[in-house]
Amino acid sequence: SKIENNQLSPTFESILKIISGLNIDISDLLTSIQNEAPRTRRVFTRKGEGEIHITENYHYETLCNEIINKKMIPIVTKIKSHSIERFGEMMRHSGEEVFFVLEGTVELITEHYAPVKLSQGDCAYFDSSMGHACISSGKNDALIFWVSTPN
């Protein structure tokens, strides 16, 4: 009664007795699902209706742009550079990235690792703070599905 009315703080031993008696995990006692707002965000992008951004090296189509404060940024990217010399200085920024090769062959060049060639169906994951560049190593531009985290 005193614990329920905030007149007494329970000891750790009391907490263990309570969770044992209720047959629950301690995390169930300390967290409350009732206080969490329901996660109801949903959006979609129809083919070809993403936001286009063009740079020297990439042709980006960002997807699902209506949601703000996203934890990941989905992008369909055409890789236009075919050599590291044409690409220029490697990129680096906060966050992490993963990409999946949809068409063509991609060479992933990063600091600290040897370059790796990836073909259709291959996937790579890396820390964005490490210098990196993706170049198309085939005759045609490569196409990838890329997901980046902003932090």
Side-chain angles (χ1 to χ4, degrees), residues 130-148:
M130 173 175 54
H132 59 279
C134 292
I135 61 171
S136 179
S137 57
K139 277 186 167 183
N140 299 322
D141 294 346
L143 187 68
I144 62 176
F145 176 67
W146 204 332
V147 178
S148 178

Side-chain angles (χ1 to χ4, degrees), residues 6-7 9 22 25 31 39 41 43 45 56 61 64 66 77 83 97 105 110 112 114 144 149:
N6 290 326
Q7 295 173 357
S9 294
L22 295 174
D25 189 76
T31 60
R39 303 291 296 187
R41 302 187 322 162
V43 67
T45 302
E56 285 287 318
E61 181 182 7
C64 302
E66 293 83 5
T77 304
S83 71
E97 300 179 40
T105 306
T110 60
H112 315 298
I144 62 176
T149 63

Side-chain angles (χ1 to χ4, degrees), residues 93-97 125-130 132 148-151:
H93 49 87
S94 63
E96 296 178 328
E97 300 179 40
Y125 186 104
F126 57 93
D127 186 320
S128 306
S129 65
M130 173 175 54
H132 59 279
S148 178
T149 63
N151 297 327

Side-chain angles (χ1 to χ4, degrees), residues 9 20 49 52 55-56 58 72 85 88 103 110-111 113 119:
S9 294
S20 176
E49 293 183 1
I52 304 297
T55 68
E56 285 287 318
Y58 303 120
M72 57 186 163
E85 294 78 25
E103 296 175 6
T110 60
E111 286 181 317
Y113 294 95
S119 300

Side-chain angles (χ1 to χ4, degrees), residues 85-103:
E85 294 78 25
R86 178 168 179 229
F87 188 91
E89 188 174 334
M90 288 195 283
M91 301 172 66
R92 63 176 43 82
H93 49 87
S94 63
E96 296 178 328
E97 300 179 40
V98 62
F99 69 83
F100 182 86
V101 181
L102 299 171
E103 296 175 6

